[in-house]
Amino acid sequence: MEIAPAPARGRPREFDPEEALAAALEVFWRRGYEGASLAELTEAMGITKPSLYACFGNKESLFRKALDLYERDKLCYVQSAMQAPTAKGVAERLLRGALAIQTGGKDPLGCMGVISSVGGTAHAECIRDEILLRRASSDRAMVERLERARQEGDLPPGVEPQALACYLSTVMQGMAVQAGAGVPAERLTQLIDTTLAMWPGK
């Protein structure tokens, strides 16, 4: 007597996880963590809630994965900026790279990290902490690069790398807020040009 093969357990996944995650990233970017509902996320991703939980975990886990994708695909200019030969070159690459992401192409306006860290219920506190932790890591890299610039004579002796990095980070975050509010790229370019014109040293 022939024995029929046992049917495969479970249904094959009917969506591309990378495409679904990219769709979730866009929703989080536009709406922020709290503003993005599960219904909106699943609709954009083209999947059901059970599929979301099975593949990505809960909403917080999905957001963290989307943030990883954002850093990998959208913030790659940061690493390149740190390789600039001068501190002013670092600043210019960071500012112009941020502007391109915040105002260019089909992506939502503004910065995903800034959008999701503003706002205030305790429910999203862990998300804000996550974003601030990642930002702190980026800020440390910037401070270290500016400290090296001062040691190399690329910055005047009286310039404090920590304060200069804080200033640059504040300008970038302000740009993100203005970009998200619809300020034209031309005006933000003027802000960049002014910042670079005031840059200490070479």
Side-chain angles (χ1 to χ4, degrees):
M1 180 177 76
E2 290 190 9
I3 300 177
R9 295 195 173 192
R11 297 179 58 188
R13 187 174 283 163
E14 297 175 352
F15 64 93
D16 183 330
E18 281 291 318
E19 290 182 3
L21 185 58
L25 167 59
E26 183 169 340
V27 174
F28 282 129
W29 196 342
R30 289 186 190 281
R31 308 280 290 162
Y33 176 76
E34 292 179 289
S37 68
L38 281 176
E40 189 175 9
L41 286 164
T42 53
E43 181 179 357
M45 297 167 76
I47 62 177
T48 63
K49 286 184 182 179
S51 294
L52 186 154
Y53 290 127
C55 186
F56 301 104
N58 58 16
K59 180 183 176 183
E60 180 182 330
S61 176
L62 174 64
F63 179 82
R64 292 176 192 274
K65 289 180 173 65
L67 198 56
D68 288 339
L69 180 62
Y70 178 76
E71 291 182 342
R72 187 192 78 192
D73 289 0
K74 306 300 181 181
L75 301 187
C76 50
Y77 69 88
V78 174
Q79 185 173 1
S80 170
M82 295 303 166
Q83 306 303 318
T86 65
K88 187 173 183 178
V90 171
E92 181 164 14
R93 289 187 189 183
L94 285 173
L95 290 167
R96 299 201 190 283
L99 179 64
I101 293 300
Q102 293 166 8
T103 63
K106 300 177 182 178
D107 290 329
L109 299 175
C111 169
M112 179 180 170
V114 171
I115 291 168
S116 296
S117 61
V118 188
T121 67
H123 179 69
E125 185 174 341
C126 59
I127 293 300
R128 288 197 304 275
D129 289 346
E130 172 79 13
I131 292 171
L132 293 175
L133 186 65
R134 295 184 187 219
R135 187 177 298 157
S137 175
S138 177
D139 287 346
R140 279 195 303 273
M142 194 189 307
V143 171
E144 290 172 2
R145 177 63 184 85
L146 295 179
E147 285 177 342
R148 178 161 66 86
R150 186 172 66 173
Q151 292 169 4
E152 294 172 347
D154 185 34
L155 287 174
V159 173
E160 174 53 52
Q162 180 85 42
L164 189 57
C166 181
Y167 165 72
L168 187 54
S169 178
T170 301
V171 171
M172 292 171 66
Q173 290 175 39
M175 285 172 50
V177 172
Q178 293 193 53
V183 173
E186 293 76 15
R187 281 178 55 188
L188 297 178
T189 298
Q190 292 176 343
L191 172 62
I192 291 174
D193 293 341
T194 301
T195 301
L196 294 174
M198 298 169 59
W199 190 260
K202 304 171 185 176

